[in-house]
């Protein structure tokens, strides 16, 4: 009879020498097939014409300086992002209204992942938004699985509220009809936009007012200086309101040129 492999005999001898209690308490390795799969979160590449995402604001924002209470640099800096946002909103209304590619591309589309979870993506990351002739917008969808979610989201949206039509030549292309808006509706939307802009100015002014009051209360700034700062702050707000009203007037006049 042939001898067993020496290494096998050694392992068996060690096992027999190990107490049963110790062998029972030793953890057993987990089988690979019994481990639940770890799914990576899906990343969707943006479409070719997708605009770059805005950078996050700097963490070191300018703060009001009690050493110079008449300096409103911090207040004006806090208004700059609002100025940029609302000016872009006015341009969107002037150039294509709610069917502007930027506005349409921002529409949220819910997509269900293979794991059954729902993630939301802007339309511009799932399809290219391309204006066509004849008051038509083409949606060139990146993947077939996005077609139905896009169709459902566009139809359910309050802004667009229409069923995109499939192209006869390309099953990944959806067509939208651009509906002309009445001037009265566009004027109303312009005024709503500038009103929201003014509200942001008032909120920023109110916040700065509280800072001045706090400086006066704790004795950091003299009462007379705070009063002067409040008068100057009112001038800043008045000037900003005139700027917003100028943008509103220019936008309404621009409707006649488009």
């Amino acid at each position: 009879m042939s001898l067993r492999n020496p290494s096998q005999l050694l392992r068996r001898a060690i096992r027999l020498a190990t107490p049963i209690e110790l062998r029972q308490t030793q953890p057993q390795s987990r089988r690979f097939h019994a481990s639940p799969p770890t799914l990576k979160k899906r990343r969707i590449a943006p479409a070719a014409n997708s605009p770059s995402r805005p950078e996050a604001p700097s963490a070191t924002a300018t703060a009001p300086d009690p050493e110079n209470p008449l300096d409103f640099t911090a207040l004006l800096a806090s208004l700059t992002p609002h100025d940029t946002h609302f000016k872009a909103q006015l341009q969107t209304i002037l150039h294509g209204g709610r069917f502007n590619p930027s506005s349409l591309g921002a529409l949220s589309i819910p997509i269900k992942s293979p794991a059954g979870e729902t993630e939301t993506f802007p339309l511009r990351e799932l399809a290219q938004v391309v204006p066509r002739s004849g008051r038509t917008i083409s949606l060139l969808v990146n993947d077939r699985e996005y077609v139905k979610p896009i169709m459902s989201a566009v139809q359910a949206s309050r802004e667009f509220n229409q069923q995109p039509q499939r192209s006869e030549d390309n099953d990944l292309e959806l067509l939208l009809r651009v509906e002309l808006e009445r001037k009265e509706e566009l004027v109303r939307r312009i005024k709503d936009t500038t009103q929201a802009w003014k509200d942001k100015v008032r909120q920023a002014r109110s916040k700065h007012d509280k800072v001045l009051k706090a400086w006066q209360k704790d004795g950091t700034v003299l009462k007379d200086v705070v009063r002067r700062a409040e008068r100057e702050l009112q001038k800043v707000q008045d000037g900003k309101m005139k700027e917003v009203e100028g943008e509103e007037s220019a936008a309404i006049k621009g409707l006649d040129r488009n």
Side-chain angles (χ1 to χ4, degrees):
M1 183 174 68
S2 60
L3 294 176
R4 294 186 178 182
N5 190 311
S7 60
Q8 292 179 344
L9 294 174
L10 179 61
R11 285 197 298 270
R12 184 177 181 185
I14 293 174
R15 179 172 175 78
L16 292 174
T18 304
I20 297 177
E21 294 80 6
L22 181 60
R23 276 186 270 161
Q24 290 177 342
T25 57
Q26 288 179 346
Q28 296 182 359
S29 60
R30 188 176 188 178
R31 301 195 178 201
F32 178 76
H33 71 270
S35 302
T38 302
L39 299 176
K40 287 186 176 181
K41 187 174 182 179
R42 177 167 47 175
R43 295 181 180 273
I44 295 181
N49 67 338
S50 175
S52 57
R53 297 194 177 208
E55 295 182 357
S58 173
T60 58
T62 306
D65 182 10
E67 297 295 328
N68 192 359
L70 299 180
D71 180 9
F72 302 108
T73 302
L75 172 65
L76 296 175
S78 70
L79 292 174
T80 298
H82 300 305
D83 295 344
T84 302
H85 170 74
F86 288 111
K87 285 179 181 179
Q89 289 289 318
L90 292 176
Q91 289 302 309
T92 296
I93 295 172
L94 284 175
H95 302 288
R98 66 182 187 276
F99 283 93
N100 181 285
S102 298
S103 178
L104 182 58
L107 180 66
S108 297
I109 311 294
I111 301 293
K112 185 169 290 187
S113 68
E117 299 178 351
T118 299
E119 301 177 59
T120 301
F121 300 90
L123 175 60
R124 61 174 171 266
E125 293 189 5
L126 307 179
Q128 296 184 44
V129 183
V130 183
R132 302 293 190 192
S133 59
R135 292 168 52 191
T136 302
I137 291 182
S138 174
L139 305 179
L140 300 176
V141 185
N142 296 347
D143 194 288
R144 189 168 283 101
E145 69 172 303
Y146 307 146
V147 172
K148 288 186 178 180
I150 290 175
M151 293 178 68
S152 299
V154 172
Q155 187 177 19
S157 66
R158 182 175 58 85
E159 295 85 355
F160 308 106
N161 190 28
Q162 65 172 274
Q163 177 68 62
Q165 302 300 314
R166 292 178 180 267
S167 171
E168 296 180 356
D169 302 323
N170 183 357
D171 59 352
L172 290 180
E173 181 179 18
L174 301 175
L175 301 175
L176 281 174
R177 184 181 72 259
V178 176
E179 298 177 352
L180 295 179
E181 296 182 82
R182 295 181 302 171
K183 182 179 178 180
E184 294 79 5
E185 176 63 21
L186 294 174
V187 170
R188 184 191 64 79
R189 292 178 59 201
I190 288 174
K191 289 183 176 294
D192 288 346
T193 300
T194 53
Q195 182 59 48
W197 192 352
K198 290 179 179 179
D199 289 343
K200 292 296 183 181
V201 175
R202 294 189 184 96
Q203 291 169 11
R205 185 261 169 85
S206 177
K207 184 177 180 180
H208 200 88
D209 262 334
K210 292 179 180 179
V211 173
L212 292 175
K213 295 296 185 184
W215 288 343
Q216 178 182 330
K217 185 176 181 180
D218 62 18
T220 303
V221 180
L222 295 177
K223 184 176 181 180
D224 290 343
V225 177
V226 170
R227 288 180 177 176
R228 182 183 173 189
E230 289 174 340
R231 291 194 296 270
E232 295 299 320
L233 182 58
Q234 183 63 48
K235 293 179 182 179
V236 171
Q237 176 177 322
D238 292 343
K240 201 66 184 177
M241 291 299 186
K242 287 183 179 179
E243 178 186 336
V244 175
E245 290 168 358
E247 293 286 346
E248 177 184 299
S249 178
I252 293 175
K253 291 179 180 178
L255 294 175
D256 296 327
R257 294 193 295 267
N258 291 339

